[in-house]
Amino acid sequence: MKVLVPVKRVVDYNVKVRVKSDGTGVDIANVKMSMNPFDEIAVEEAVRLKEKGVATEIVAVSCGVTQCQETLRTAMAIGADRAILVECADELQPLAVAKLLKALVDREKPGLVIVGKQAIDDDCNQTGQMLAALAGLPQATYVSKMEIAEGFATIAREIDGGLENLKITLPAVVTTDLRLNEPRYVTLPNIMKAKKKPLEIVKPADLGVDVSPRIKTLKVGEPPKRGAGVKVPDVATLVAKLKNEAKVI
């Protein structure tokens, strides 16, 4: 079974993001970039499936600028066999990425697509669901446990009330939650091996996909700063302020 794993290049989760002075977006100049953590979990799960003998090939995919090759090399260092970069300098919104992935699913015919549930830069949480809809595939989101056997995926997914267990037919699309696994440490020998693994570069036009943005960002701003607290002399004053000023009681 072939497994397709999309990965996204994002600002590293340890970096404090800064908004551009003109409010057009986030400043990524001279900022450390890395693989989206949820996508890293997806790659790790695919590698574990291959180690169990369930998967035969892992294909990592990224859509974006030329520098996304670094993210794909990281995926191959974790254990992906080859990579595909859909190179595009324009802004790619979730629907455009889902259409690109759908075109690659049609071409590659994977038995399973494992997607990070969301990216930590835009937090959209849409690409996996859109891909499943466009490709007409079963889907399971927020997966915290997965077993593959006899053409089915048995899934445990996290919901507000606890856990929901599903059984879906393959091929399918699943999106990963934090508790699915803990990604392995990438060793130097594997980083060196990843440099020799094949990486194909295609353009959106090669896949016949229009990636024009459907949504326009009007302005990006920082959240308001939290105001200082107020000390009160006694409980009676606190209750009075909660009742008369805050109006929460």
Side-chain angles (χ1 to χ4, degrees), residues 103-220:
L104 290 174
V105 166
D106 291 342
R107 191 184 83 171
E108 296 289 334
K109 298 289 190 293
L112 181 65
V113 183
I114 309 179
V115 189
K117 73 171 184 178
Q118 65 194 81
I120 62 171
D121 53 359
D122 55 22
D123 265 345
C124 281
N125 186 4
Q126 296 174 341
T127 304
Q129 293 90 324
M130 288 178 171
L131 170 61
L134 292 171
L137 296 175
Q139 64 172 307
T141 55
Y142 317 124
V143 172
S144 60
K145 188 177 181 181
M146 178 169 63
E147 296 292 336
I148 308 290
E150 300 176 353
F152 291 91
T154 304
I155 302 292
R157 62 185 297 267
E158 299 198 358
I159 58 175
D160 290 342
L163 292 176
E164 180 181 43
N165 295 309
L166 301 175
K167 188 175 184 180
I168 59 176
T169 56
L170 299 178
V173 177
V174 300
T175 70
T176 62
D177 205 353
L178 278 174
R179 279 158 286 282
L180 181 59
N181 62 53
E182 185 175 341
R184 68 194 66 193
Y185 178 76
V186 181
T187 62
L188 181 59
N190 286 337
I191 292 173
M192 301 306 293
K193 289 177 185 176
K195 293 181 179 180
K196 298 180 180 179
K197 291 182 178 180
L199 194 158
E200 179 187 1
I201 300 177
V202 297
K203 301 287 186 181
D206 300 333
L207 301 173
V209 177
D210 177 17
V211 295
S212 302
R214 302 293 187 91
I215 300 171
K216 181 180 179 181
T217 301
L218 300 179
K219 187 177 181 181
V220 177

Side-chain angles (χ1 to χ4, degrees), residues 46-117:
V47 174
R48 293 187 184 190
L49 289 175
K50 187 176 181 182
E51 290 172 346
K52 292 176 183 176
V54 175
T56 55
E57 184 183 25
I58 302 168
V59 183
V61 179
S62 190
C63 306
V65 295
T66 305
Q67 290 87 338
C68 291
Q69 292 186 41
E70 301 168 11
T71 308
L72 289 170
R73 292 294 178 193
T74 301
M76 289 190 284
I78 295 173
D81 298 296
R82 59 186 176 92
I84 302 171
L85 170 61
V86 183
E87 192 174 46
C88 179
D90 300 330
E91 177 193 2
L92 290 175
Q93 295 176 351
L95 180 59
V97 175
K99 287 180 177 179
L100 292 170
L101 294 177
K102 195 265 182 184
L104 290 174
V105 166
D106 291 342
R107 191 184 83 171
E108 296 289 334
K109 298 289 190 293
L112 181 65
V113 183
I114 309 179
V115 189
K117 73 171 184 178

